[in-house]
Amino acid sequence: MKRIPVGISGRHLHLTQAHLEVLFGQGYQLTKMKDLSQPGQYAAEEKVDVYSPAGKLIAGVRILGPVRPASQVEISRSDAIRGKFVAPVRSSGDVKGSGPCKLVGPKGEVELSEGVIVADRHIHFSLEDAAEYGVKDGDKVSIFIDNSKGGLLNNVLCRVSPKFALDCHLDTDDGAAFELNTGDTCILVKSYKINE
């Protein structure tokens, strides 16, 4: 069975078209910087400043495109602690009841009453990859990292869609803990036992 590529996700945000226009001006369109691992997704040239309710600043957070139905900010647990953000662990798009923040762009500001999250660990599978690995959407698996600081990383969500390409997404905290960089690989472990 093939190894799974790893992508380390730094802090970033997704915006609605309405919020993009408040921050950058009426009719504004994102400028693609580079494509990401998932088809149709890209990192934009544009960045905004993000303020926590305590007034702590994370400067220059990159926007990912295309625009989405709801705005959200994805940060690491370390970011949340340093900046005093409320940021529950959630899947992308699940922002109901998540933390607030203020976004500041060159043309305006947006107060988000919710939308700040720490993204869960997850693996994107195409339908074909899911069949090969024997997983279904919503399964939780483990991954094994076989490097100098490797080990077993649990509670990794399987996300399956015909629109996805195989990729394991971890945030910078998990990446640093296991000395992983984008382009490294891991091994899927569907079950494990803890010795008692």
Side-chain angles (χ1 to χ4, degrees), residues 114-154:
E114 58 187 17
V116 180
I117 65 170
V118 173
D120 56 8
R121 304 165 182 145
H122 59 276
I123 304 172
H124 292 275
F125 293 91
S126 68
L127 299 181
E128 295 77 13
D129 287 324
E132 178 179 348
Y133 284 91
V135 299
K136 61 183 185 303
D137 191 56
D139 282 354
K140 289 282 186 79
V141 297
S142 299
I143 56 172
F144 180 68
I145 297 100
D146 54 344
N147 62 20
S148 59
K149 284 193 72 177
L152 198 64
L153 188 55
N154 302 323

mmCIF file of all heavy atoms in Angstrom, residues 114-154:
data_model
loop_
_atom_site.group_PDB
_atom_site.id
_atom_site.type_symbol
_atom_site.label_atom_id
_atom_site.label_comp_id
_atom_site.label_asym_id
_atom_site.label_seq_id
_atom_site.Cartn_x
_atom_site.Cartn_y
_atom_site.Cartn_z
ATOM 1 N N GLU A 114 -17.813 34.350 15.208
ATOM 2 C CA GLU A 114 -17.347 32.969 15.280
ATOM 3 C C GLU A 114 -16.536 32.689 14.022
ATOM 4 O O GLU A 114 -16.644 33.407 13.034
ATOM 5 C CB GLU A 114 -18.514 31.985 15.390
ATOM 6 C CG GLU A 114 -19.507 32.057 14.243
ATOM 7 C CD GLU A 114 -20.733 31.188 14.453
ATOM 8 O OE1 GLU A 114 -20.985 30.778 15.596
ATOM 9 O OE2 GLU A 114 -21.439 30.934 13.459
ATOM 10 N N GLY A 115 -15.701 31.646 14.083
ATOM 11 C CA GLY A 115 -14.933 31.302 12.891
ATOM 12 C C GLY A 115 -13.482 30.934 13.161
ATOM 13 O O GLY A 115 -12.787 30.474 12.256
ATOM 14 N N VAL A 116 -12.996 31.140 14.400
ATOM 15 C CA VAL A 116 -11.608 30.798 14.710
ATOM 16 C C VAL A 116 -11.561 29.355 15.215
ATOM 17 O O VAL A 116 -12.236 29.011 16.183
ATOM 18 C CB VAL A 116 -11.009 31.746 15.762
ATOM 19 C CG1 VAL A 116 -9.555 31.361 16.052
ATOM 20 C CG2 VAL A 116 -11.091 33.191 15.295
ATOM 21 N N ILE A 117 -10.762 28.514 14.551
ATOM 22 C CA ILE A 117 -10.656 27.097 14.923
ATOM 23 C C ILE A 117 -9.205 26.632 14.863
ATOM 24 O O ILE A 117 -8.366 27.271 14.238
ATOM 25 C CB ILE A 117 -11.509 26.185 13.998
ATOM 26 C CG1 ILE A 117 -10.967 26.207 12.551
ATOM 27 C CG2 ILE A 117 -12.980 26.583 14.033
ATOM 28 C CD1 ILE A 117 -11.595 25.150 11.646
ATOM 29 N N VAL A 118 -8.945 25.530 15.553
ATOM 30 C CA VAL A 118 -7.751 24.723 15.318
ATOM 31 C C VAL A 118 -8.224 23.557 14.461
ATOM 32 O O VAL A 118 -9.107 22.792 14.881
ATOM 33 C CB VAL A 118 -7.128 24.213 16.635
ATOM 34 C CG1 VAL A 118 -5.987 23.242 16.347
ATOM 35 C CG2 VAL A 118 -6.637 25.376 17.486
ATOM 36 N N ALA A 119 -7.699 23.443 13.254
ATOM 37 C CA ALA A 119 -8.181 22.404 12.335
ATOM 38 C C ALA A 119 -7.799 21.021 12.844
ATOM 39 O O ALA A 119 -6.672 20.811 13.327
ATOM 40 C CB ALA A 119 -7.618 22.621 10.936
ATOM 41 N N ASP A 120 -8.726 20.078 12.742
ATOM 42 C CA ASP A 120 -8.427 18.708 13.147
ATOM 43 C C ASP A 120 -7.415 18.076 12.189
ATOM 44 O O ASP A 120 -7.235 18.528 11.066
ATOM 45 C CB ASP A 120 -9.698 17.859 13.229
ATOM 46 C CG ASP A 120 -10.503 17.840 11.931
ATOM 47 O OD1 ASP A 120 -10.019 18.366 10.906
ATOM 48 O OD2 ASP A 120 -11.613 17.301 11.941
ATOM 49 N N ARG A 121 -6.729 17.036 12.671
ATOM 50 C CA ARG A 121 -5.868 16.254 11.788
ATOM 51 C C ARG A 121 -6.766 15.499 10.831
ATOM 52 O O ARG A 121 -7.745 14.876 11.248
ATOM 53 C CB ARG A 121 -5.062 15.248 12.604
ATOM 54 C CG ARG A 121 -4.247 15.833 13.701
ATOM 55 C CD ARG A 121 -3.783 14.741 14.659
ATOM 56 N NE ARG A 121 -3.039 15.321 15.753
ATOM 57 C CZ ARG A 121 -3.074 14.871 16.996
ATOM 58 N NH1 ARG A 121 -3.825 13.823 17.308
ATOM 59 N NH2 ARG A 121 -2.358 15.460 17.924
ATOM 60 N N HIS A 122 -6.424 15.509 9.562
ATOM 61 C CA HIS A 122 -7.291 14.800 8.612
ATOM 62 C C HIS A 122 -6.512 14.361 7.382
ATOM 63 O O HIS A 122 -5.446 14.900 7.076
ATOM 64 C CB HIS A 122 -8.491 15.662 8.205
ATOM 65 C CG HIS A 122 -8.117 16.965 7.571
ATOM 66 N ND1 HIS A 122 -7.807 18.092 8.297
ATOM 67 C CD2 HIS A 122 -8.013 17.329 6.272
ATOM 68 C CE1 HIS A 122 -7.520 19.089 7.470
ATOM 69 N NE2 HIS A 122 -7.637 18.646 6.239
ATOM 70 N N ILE A 123 -7.075 13.360 6.726
ATOM 71 C CA ILE A 123 -6.526 12.868 5.463
ATOM 72 C C ILE A 123 -7.599 13.006 4.400
ATOM 73 O O ILE A 123 -8.739 12.561 4.597
ATOM 74 C CB ILE A 123 -6.095 11.389 5.549
ATOM 75 C CG1 ILE A 123 -5.095 11.173 6.679
ATOM 76 C CG2 ILE A 123 -5.486 10.932 4.216
ATOM 77 C CD1 ILE A 123 -4.777 9.706 6.943
ATOM 78 N N HIS A 124 -7.246 13.632 3.288
ATOM 79 C CA HIS A 124 -8.142 13.701 2.131
ATOM 80 C C HIS A 124 -7.952 12.446 1.283
ATOM 81 O O HIS A 124 -6.825 12.093 0.933
ATOM 82 C CB HIS A 124 -7.814 14.926 1.272
ATOM 83 C CG HIS A 124 -8.118 16.234 1.911
ATOM 84 N ND1 HIS A 124 -9.362 16.804 1.861
ATOM 85 C CD2 HIS A 124 -7.340 17.095 2.628
ATOM 86 C CE1 HIS A 124 -9.339 17.959 2.498
ATOM 87 N NE2 HIS A 124 -8.124 18.151 2.982
ATOM 88 N N PHE A 125 -9.056 11.782 0.965
ATOM 89 C CA PHE A 125 -9.033 10.605 0.100
ATOM 90 C C PHE A 125 -9.961 10.831 -1.089
ATOM 91 O O PHE A 125 -11.095 11.289 -0.923
ATOM 92 C CB PHE A 125 -9.560 9.366 0.829
ATOM 93 C CG PHE A 125 -8.716 8.854 1.954
ATOM 94 C CD1 PHE A 125 -8.918 9.304 3.246
ATOM 95 C CD2 PHE A 125 -7.730 7.893 1.728
ATOM 96 C CE1 PHE A 125 -8.157 8.817 4.301
ATOM 97 C CE2 PHE A 125 -6.962 7.395 2.768
ATOM 98 C CZ PHE A 125 -7.174 7.863 4.068
ATOM 99 N N SER A 126 -9.509 10.483 -2.281
ATOM 100 C CA SER A 126 -10.434 10.330 -3.404
ATOM 101 C C SER A 126 -11.228 9.056 -3.171
ATOM 102 O O SER A 126 -10.908 8.256 -2.278
ATOM 103 C CB SER A 126 -9.659 10.235 -4.720
ATOM 104 O OG SER A 126 -8.917 9.006 -4.757
ATOM 105 N N LEU A 127 -12.259 8.832 -3.959
ATOM 106 C CA LEU A 127 -13.042 7.596 -3.816
ATOM 107 C C LEU A 127 -12.161 6.374 -4.056
ATOM 108 O O LEU A 127 -12.266 5.370 -3.339
ATOM 109 C CB LEU A 127 -14.217 7.603 -4.794
ATOM 110 C CG LEU A 127 -15.242 8.731 -4.634
ATOM 111 C CD1 LEU A 127 -16.359 8.572 -5.654
ATOM 112 C CD2 LEU A 127 -15.805 8.771 -3.221
ATOM 113 N N GLU A 128 -11.272 6.469 -5.038
ATOM 114 C CA GLU A 128 -10.394 5.340 -5.364
ATOM 115 C C GLU A 128 -9.397 5.074 -4.233
ATOM 116 O O GLU A 128 -9.148 3.926 -3.857
ATOM 117 C CB GLU A 128 -9.645 5.625 -6.673
ATOM 118 C CG GLU A 128 -10.528 5.720 -7.912
ATOM 119 C CD GLU A 128 -11.277 7.036 -8.039
ATOM 120 O OE1 GLU A 128 -10.937 8.003 -7.310
ATOM 121 O OE2 GLU A 128 -12.221 7.101 -8.858
ATOM 122 N N ASP A 129 -8.834 6.146 -3.671
ATOM 123 C CA ASP A 129 -7.881 5.976 -2.566
ATOM 124 C C ASP A 129 -8.580 5.415 -1.327
ATOM 125 O O ASP A 129 -8.027 4.561 -0.635
ATOM 126 C CB ASP A 129 -7.212 7.307 -2.229
ATOM 127 C CG ASP A 129 -6.195 7.732 -3.272
ATOM 128 O OD1 ASP A 129 -5.513 6.854 -3.822
ATOM 129 O OD2 ASP A 129 -6.088 8.940 -3.536
ATOM 130 N N ALA A 130 -9.792 5.877 -1.058
ATOM 131 C CA ALA A 130 -10.529 5.366 0.097
ATOM 132 C C ALA A 130 -10.790 3.873 -0.045
ATOM 133 O O ALA A 130 -10.668 3.109 0.925
ATOM 134 C CB ALA A 130 -11.847 6.116 0.259
ATOM 135 N N ALA A 131 -11.116 3.444 -1.254
ATOM 136 C CA ALA A 131 -11.345 2.017 -1.480
ATOM 137 C C ALA A 131 -10.051 1.232 -1.293
ATOM 138 O O ALA A 131 -10.046 0.154 -0.689
ATOM 139 C CB ALA A 131 -11.904 1.796 -2.889
ATOM 140 N N GLU A 132 -8.939 1.772 -1.777
ATOM 141 C CA GLU A 132 -7.654 1.086 -1.638
ATOM 142 C C GLU A 132 -7.250 0.938 -0.175
ATOM 143 O O GLU A 132 -6.754 -0.112 0.247
ATOM 144 C CB GLU A 132 -6.559 1.841 -2.392
ATOM 145 C CG GLU A 132 -5.186 1.195 -2.250
ATOM 146 C CD GLU A 132 -4.105 1.933 -3.018
ATOM 147 O OE1 GLU A 132 -4.437 2.810 -3.853
ATOM 148 O OE2 GLU A 132 -2.919 1.646 -2.780
ATOM 149 N N TYR A 133 -7.480 1.972 0.606
ATOM 150 C CA TYR A 133 -7.090 1.943 2.012
ATOM 151 C C TYR A 133 -8.162 1.344 2.921
ATOM 152 O O TYR A 133 -7.913 1.119 4.105
ATOM 153 C CB TYR A 133 -6.750 3.354 2.493
ATOM 154 C CG TYR A 133 -5.403 3.838 2.026
ATOM 155 C CD1 TYR A 133 -5.270 4.548 0.835
ATOM 156 C CD2 TYR A 133 -4.255 3.586 2.762
ATOM 157 C CE1 TYR A 133 -4.031 4.999 0.397
ATOM 158 C CE2 TYR A 133 -3.013 4.026 2.340
ATOM 159 C CZ TYR A 133 -2.909 4.732 1.157
ATOM 160 O OH TYR A 133 -1.674 5.159 0.723
ATOM 161 N N GLY A 134 -9.356 1.111 2.382
ATOM 162 C CA GLY A 134 -10.420 0.513 3.182
ATOM 163 C C GLY A 134 -10.986 1.439 4.238
ATOM 164 O O GLY A 134 -11.306 1.013 5.359
ATOM 165 N N VAL A 135 -11.125 2.724 3.909
ATOM 166 C CA VAL A 135 -11.689 3.689 4.851
ATOM 167 C C VAL A 135 -12.922 4.342 4.238
ATOM 168 O O VAL A 135 -13.116 4.314 3.018
ATOM 169 C CB VAL A 135 -10.665 4.773 5.235
ATOM 170 C CG1 VAL A 135 -9.448 4.156 5.907
ATOM 171 C CG2 VAL A 135 -10.246 5.600 4.015
ATOM 172 N N LYS A 136 -13.735 4.933 5.104
ATOM 173 C CA LYS A 136 -14.896 5.680 4.628
ATOM 174 C C LYS A 136 -14.920 7.058 5.282
ATOM 175 O O LYS A 136 -14.238 7.297 6.283
ATOM 176 C CB LYS A 136 -16.194 4.919 4.909
ATOM 177 C CG LYS A 136 -16.493 4.656 6.351
ATOM 178 C CD LYS A 136 -17.762 3.834 6.490
ATOM 179 C CE LYS A 136 -18.192 3.632 7.935
ATOM 180 N NZ LYS A 136 -17.143 3.003 8.770
ATOM 181 N N ASP A 137 -15.699 7.941 4.719
ATOM 182 C CA ASP A 137 -15.776 9.305 5.218
ATOM 183 C C ASP A 137 -16.201 9.306 6.687
ATOM 184 O O ASP A 137 -17.166 8.655 7.062
ATOM 185 C CB ASP A 137 -16.779 10.111 4.387
ATOM 186 C CG ASP A 137 -16.716 11.592 4.685
ATOM 187 O OD1 ASP A 137 -15.622 12.174 4.549
ATOM 188 O OD2 ASP A 137 -17.749 12.171 5.065
ATOM 189 N N GLY A 138 -15.447 10.022 7.524
ATOM 190 C CA GLY A 138 -15.766 10.110 8.944
ATOM 191 C C GLY A 138 -15.017 9.136 9.825
ATOM 192 O O GLY A 138 -15.057 9.251 11.055
ATOM 193 N N ASP A 139 -14.327 8.145 9.217
ATOM 194 C CA ASP A 139 -13.516 7.218 10.022
ATOM 195 C C ASP A 139 -12.408 7.985 10.731
ATOM 196 O O ASP A 139 -11.916 9.007 10.231
ATOM 197 C CB ASP A 139 -12.871 6.145 9.138
ATOM 198 C CG ASP A 139 -13.836 5.046 8.728
ATOM 199 O OD1 ASP A 139 -14.984 5.041 9.217
ATOM 200 O OD2 ASP A 139 -13.433 4.187 7.912
ATOM 201 N N LYS A 140 -11.983 7.461 11.877
ATOM 202 C CA LYS A 140 -10.795 7.981 12.574
ATOM 203 C C LYS A 140 -9.717 6.896 12.506
ATOM 204 O O LYS A 140 -9.988 5.740 12.813
ATOM 205 C CB LYS A 140 -11.113 8.301 14.027
ATOM 206 C CG LYS A 140 -12.015 9.517 14.225
ATOM 207 C CD LYS A 140 -11.225 10.799 14.060
ATOM 208 C CE LYS A 140 -12.069 12.020 14.398
ATOM 209 N NZ LYS A 140 -12.191 12.232 15.841
ATOM 210 N N VAL A 141 -8.530 7.282 12.100
ATOM 211 C CA VAL A 141 -7.418 6.348 11.964
ATOM 212 C C VAL A 141 -6.198 6.924 12.680
ATOM 213 O O VAL A 141 -6.236 8.025 13.229
ATOM 214 C CB VAL A 141 -7.088 6.079 10.477
ATOM 215 C CG1 VAL A 141 -8.262 5.414 9.768
ATOM 216 C CG2 VAL A 141 -6.687 7.375 9.766
ATOM 217 N N SER A 142 -5.105 6.170 12.656
ATOM 218 C CA SER A 142 -3.816 6.638 13.137
ATOM 219 C C SER A 142 -2.841 6.656 11.975
ATOM 220 O O SER A 142 -3.049 5.981 10.965
ATOM 221 C CB SER A 142 -3.297 5.726 14.243
ATOM 222 O OG SER A 142 -4.184 5.711 15.338
ATOM 223 N N ILE A 143 -1.797 7.439 12.122
ATOM 224 C CA ILE A 143 -0.710 7.416 11.144
ATOM 225 C C ILE A 143 0.603 7.149 11.885
ATOM 226 O O ILE A 143 0.776 7.565 13.028
ATOM 227 C CB ILE A 143 -0.611 8.720 10.327
ATOM 228 C CG1 ILE A 143 -0.457 9.945 11.241
ATOM 229 C CG2 ILE A 143 -1.808 8.868 9.403
ATOM 230 C CD1 ILE A 143 -0.163 11.244 10.498
ATOM 231 N N PHE A 144 1.499 6.443 11.209
ATOM 232 C CA PHE A 144 2.817 6.166 11.761
ATOM 233 C C PHE A 144 3.844 6.984 10.995
ATOM 234 O O PHE A 144 3.852 6.988 9.764
ATOM 235 C CB PHE A 144 3.156 4.679 11.669
ATOM 236 C CG PHE A 144 4.509 4.352 12.228
ATOM 237 C CD1 PHE A 144 4.763 4.459 13.589
ATOM 238 C CD2 PHE A 144 5.547 3.965 11.390
ATOM 239 C CE1 PHE A 144 6.019 4.181 14.107
ATOM 240 C CE2 PHE A 144 6.808 3.689 11.898
ATOM 241 C CZ PHE A 144 7.044 3.792 13.266
ATOM 242 N N ILE A 145 4.685 7.690 11.751
ATOM 243 C CA ILE A 145 5.761 8.486 11.177
ATOM 244 C C ILE A 145 7.072 7.803 11.532
ATOM 245 O O ILE A 145 7.364 7.580 12.715
ATOM 246 C CB ILE A 145 5.740 9.930 11.720
ATOM 247 C CG1 ILE A 145 4.436 10.634 11.320
ATOM 248 C CG2 ILE A 145 6.937 10.719 11.199
ATOM 249 C CD1 ILE A 145 3.403 10.693 12.374
ATOM 250 N N ASP A 146 7.840 7.445 10.514
ATOM 251 C CA ASP A 146 9.074 6.681 10.754
ATOM 252 C C ASP A 146 10.315 7.527 10.470
ATOM 253 O O ASP A 146 11.075 7.282 9.547
ATOM 254 C CB ASP A 146 9.087 5.385 9.936
ATOM 255 C CG ASP A 146 8.867 5.625 8.448
ATOM 256 O OD1 ASP A 146 8.417 6.724 8.074
ATOM 257 O OD2 ASP A 146 9.142 4.706 7.657
ATOM 258 N N ASN A 147 10.493 8.562 11.311
ATOM 259 C CA ASN A 147 11.718 9.357 11.238
ATOM 260 C C ASN A 147 12.334 9.437 12.635
ATOM 261 O O ASN A 147 11.901 8.734 13.552
ATOM 262 C CB ASN A 147 11.435 10.749 10.643
ATOM 263 C CG ASN A 147 10.473 11.574 11.480
ATOM 264 O OD1 ASN A 147 10.271 11.315 12.680
ATOM 265 N ND2 ASN A 147 9.867 12.577 10.873
ATOM 266 N N SER A 148 13.307 10.315 12.835
ATOM 267 C CA SER A 148 14.044 10.352 14.103
ATOM 268 C C SER A 148 13.187 10.760 15.293
ATOM 269 O O SER A 148 13.504 10.424 16.432
ATOM 270 C CB SER A 148 15.240 11.302 13.982
ATOM 271 O OG SER A 148 14.809 12.607 13.652
ATOM 272 N N LYS A 149 12.096 11.499 15.062
ATOM 273 C CA LYS A 149 11.174 11.844 16.140
ATOM 274 C C LYS A 149 9.798 11.254 15.890
ATOM 275 O O LYS A 149 8.783 11.788 16.311
ATOM 276 C CB LYS A 149 11.072 13.370 16.298
ATOM 277 C CG LYS A 149 12.261 13.999 16.989
ATOM 278 C CD LYS A 149 11.968 15.427 17.407
ATOM 279 C CE LYS A 149 11.004 15.470 18.580
ATOM 280 N NZ LYS A 149 10.769 16.860 19.034
ATOM 281 N N GLY A 150 9.767 10.172 15.156
ATOM 282 C CA GLY A 150 8.506 9.587 14.724
ATOM 283 C C GLY A 150 7.741 8.901 15.833
ATOM 284 O O GLY A 150 8.146 8.861 16.989
ATOM 285 N N GLY A 151 6.629 8.345 15.436
ATOM 286 C CA GLY A 151 5.754 7.651 16.360
ATOM 287 C C GLY A 151 4.368 7.553 15.774
ATOM 288 O O GLY A 151 4.158 7.765 14.573
ATOM 289 N N LEU A 152 3.415 7.260 16.638
ATOM 290 C CA LEU A 152 2.029 7.070 16.225
ATOM 291 C C LEU A 152 1.221 8.319 16.559
ATOM 292 O O LEU A 152 1.274 8.822 17.680
ATOM 293 C CB LEU A 152 1.456 5.855 16.953
ATOM 294 C CG LEU A 152 0.200 5.213 16.384
ATOM 295 C CD1 LEU A 152 0.454 4.635 15.000
ATOM 296 C CD2 LEU A 152 -0.289 4.112 17.332
ATOM 297 N N LEU A 153 0.496 8.818 15.589
ATOM 298 C CA LEU A 153 -0.363 9.987 15.773
ATOM 299 C C LEU A 153 -1.800 9.544 15.557
ATOM 300 O O LEU A 153 -2.156 9.051 14.483
ATOM 301 C CB LEU A 153 0.035 11.077 14.774
ATOM 302 C CG LEU A 153 -0.603 12.456 14.909
ATOM 303 C CD1 LEU A 153 -0.399 13.020 16.312
ATOM 304 C CD2 LEU A 153 0.006 13.411 13.892
ATOM 305 N N ASN A 154 -2.616 9.708 16.606
ATOM 306 C CA ASN A 154 -3.980 9.179 16.602
ATOM 307 C C ASN A 154 -5.020 10.247 16.262
ATOM 308 O O ASN A 154 -4.692 11.420 16.098
ATOM 309 C CB ASN A 154 -4.307 8.578 17.976
ATOM 310 C CG ASN A 154 -3.338 7.492 18.369
ATOM 311 O OD1 ASN A 154 -2.894 6.720 17.534
ATOM 312 N ND2 ASN A 154 -2.993 7.430 19.654
#
